[in-house]
């Protein structure tokens, strides 16, 4: 606890104090081959200075199944945050800003053992996010932003032991991104934007002499908004003796520009819709 303060550090009221209250709940159980759990958490406070009050509500639930060759895991949840955004983005002009962020996510994984040497795995996930920002709570029409986004991902991969201590992996990735935003969206397309990515990968891992592990692979990425590219990677690890190893690796990577990098603009930030991916070449020994 402590005195509630204005943004300039002066006390709002000698008798007013800031505080937080919260509650948590969690339950789990087992029924046959199924396991399940769910949890909830809430926190509320009036903030330590003017316009920093907040309310946070988080809920999660999970389910898993294991029997024979079949393995299933599912996880989902929601997150709701409402808060006074004083000094968050444009201090000191945003003293009376307010924001609400709602997020929902769902992900699942299914694994199937193929014979004694193979494993097939399917992963699916989705994430939805809603954000409403008001620059001046007492006058929303002055400036506010509505932002809604969704990301869907799918992965199918298969791994197989070809020879003793040698394993080959193959797979494909798909990713879809979409948003509707009064700030980042395209005004000529109902403030909407979208882009898709697809990838394919192959890797191989081999253990030699019970001491040397070699791992190498390729990842190819294709997109409707970026140039296609292939990324190689290679790693070696040698066990000198118990607890001590010497290793080295090499790889190419990239960072894709986000919608914010491409389209966000305000009086002190300038985006660039023509940005290309950042590429990196890395190597390491240890």
């Amino acid at each position: 606890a402590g005195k509630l303060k204005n943004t300039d550090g002066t006390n709002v009221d000698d008798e007013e104090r800031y505080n937080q209250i919260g509650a948590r709940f969690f339950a789990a159980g087992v029924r046959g081959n199924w396991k399940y759990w769910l949890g909830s958490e809430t926190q509320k406070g009036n903030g330590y200075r003017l316009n920093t009050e907040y309310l946070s509500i988080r809920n999660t639930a999970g389910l898993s199944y294991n029997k024979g060759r079949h393995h299933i895991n599912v996880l989902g949840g929601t997150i709701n945050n409402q808060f006074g955004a004083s000094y968050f983005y444009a201090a000191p002009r945003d003293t009376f800003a307010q924001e609400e962020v709602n997020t929902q996510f769902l992900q699942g994984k299914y694994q199937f053992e193929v014979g004694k040497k193979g494993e097939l795995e399917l992963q699916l996930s989705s994430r939805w996010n809603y954000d409403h920002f008001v620059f001046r709570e007492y006058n929303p029409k002055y400036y506010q932003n509505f932002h809604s986004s969704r990301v869907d991902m799918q992965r199918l991969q298969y791994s197989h032991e070809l020879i003793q201590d040698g394993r080959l992996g193959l797979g494909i990735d798909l990713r879809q991104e979409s948003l509707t935003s009064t700030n980042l969206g395209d005004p000529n397309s109902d403030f909407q934007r979208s882009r898709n990515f697809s990838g394919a990968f192959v890797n191989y891992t081999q253990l030699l002499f019970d001491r040397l592990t070699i791992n190498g692979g390729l990842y190819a990425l294709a997109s409707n908004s970026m140039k296609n590219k292939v990324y190689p990677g290679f790693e070696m690890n040698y066990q000198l003796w118990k607890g001590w190893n010497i290793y080295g690796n090499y790889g190419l990577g990239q960072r894709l520009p986000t919608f914010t990098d491409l389209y966000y603009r305000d009086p002190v930030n300038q985006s660039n819709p023509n940005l290309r991916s950042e590429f990196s070449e890395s190597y390491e020994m240890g």
Side-chain angles (χ1 to χ4, degrees):
K3 298 292 179 64
L4 185 66
K5 296 182 179 296
N6 288 302
T7 54
D8 62 1
T10 60
N11 292 337
V12 175
D13 189 320
D14 288 341
E15 301 301 323
E16 190 167 5
R17 309 182 73 84
Y18 66 83
N19 55 75
Q20 174 181 299
I21 186 171
R24 295 178 181 178
F25 168 81
F26 181 81
V30 179
R31 188 177 180 86
N33 298 308
W34 295 90
K35 294 181 181 180
Y36 58 90
W37 66 95
L38 56 92
S40 182
E41 179 180 1
T42 301
Q43 290 189 356
K44 183 178 182 180
N46 62 351
Y48 66 97
R49 56 178 169 79
L50 182 66
N51 196 39
T52 57
E53 75 285 351
Y54 59 90
L55 172 64
S56 175
I57 303 173
R58 299 169 180 261
N59 302 289
T60 58
L63 184 69
S64 68
Y65 174 83
N66 291 281
K67 183 179 180 181
R69 298 182 177 182
H70 304 275
H71 309 279
I72 300 174
N73 286 279
V74 179
L75 178 66
T78 64
I79 302 172
N80 177 268
N81 290 316
Q82 303 174 40
F83 51 92
S86 175
Y87 278 47
F88 269 49
Y89 306 110
R93 295 176 298 163
D94 61 351
T95 302
F96 298 99
Q98 288 281 317
E99 189 163 11
E100 178 179 0
V101 182
N102 295 315
T103 303
Q104 298 86 40
F105 63 91
L106 180 65
Q107 60 188 46
K109 180 170 67 174
Y110 170 67
Q111 293 174 296
F112 176 70
E113 297 175 9
V114 182
K116 296 181 179 181
K117 297 184 178 182
E119 183 179 84
L120 182 67
E121 182 176 302
L122 174 65
Q123 298 181 32
L124 303 173
S125 67
S126 291
R127 182 181 184 274
W128 303 266
N129 188 75
Y130 171 80
D131 186 308
H132 180 205
F133 175 77
V134 179
F135 188 67
R136 294 177 178 174
E137 182 182 13
Y138 57 86
N139 184 18
K141 292 183 178 180
Y142 180 82
Y143 177 82
Q144 60 180 327
N145 180 50
F146 296 91
H147 180 93
S148 178
S149 63
R150 176 175 176 175
V151 178
D152 298 316
M153 293 185 290
Q154 307 87 36
R155 166 173 282 196
L156 180 64
Q157 61 183 16
Y158 177 76
S159 63
H160 193 89
E161 184 178 352
L162 295 180
I163 58 177
Q164 184 178 359
D165 297 325
R167 199 164 191 88
L168 175 69
L170 304 166
I172 57 174
D173 280 324
L174 301 175
R175 178 184 175 98
Q176 303 86 37
E177 300 179 357
S178 62
L179 69 81
T180 301
S181 173
T182 53
N183 189 304
L184 303 180
D186 184 355
N188 299 318
S189 300
D190 296 326
F191 297 97
Q192 298 180 356
R193 296 188 190 276
S194 64
R195 59 183 185 179
N196 300 315
F197 301 93
S198 58
F201 59 89
V202 56
N203 58 68
Y204 184 77
T205 301
Q206 180 69 54
L207 175 64
L208 299 172
F209 319 117
D210 293 326
R211 287 180 176 268
L212 177 63
T213 302
I214 301 174
N215 183 26
L218 295 172
Y219 187 91
L221 180 67
S223 168
N224 62 343
S225 58
M226 302 289 171
K227 290 184 177 180
N228 302 337
K229 189 74 175 180
V230 177
Y231 305 95
F234 180 77
E235 182 175 20
M236 295 180 64
N237 184 90
Y238 183 77
Q239 182 180 355
L240 298 175
W241 54 84
K242 186 176 181 180
W244 291 87
N245 299 271
I246 184 171
Y247 67 91
N249 58 60
Y250 169 83
L252 295 181
Q254 75 167 359
R255 188 188 77 86
L256 296 170
T258 66
F259 284 125
T260 302
D261 296 328
L262 296 170
Y263 305 113
Y264 182 81
R265 292 186 180 184
D266 65 21
V268 294
N269 293 281
Q270 179 66 49
S271 59
N272 183 355
N274 298 313
L275 281 177
R276 294 180 294 180
S277 300
E278 298 177 1
F279 293 99
S280 66
E281 181 180 16
S282 61
Y283 43 88
E284 178 184 18
M285 292 189 67

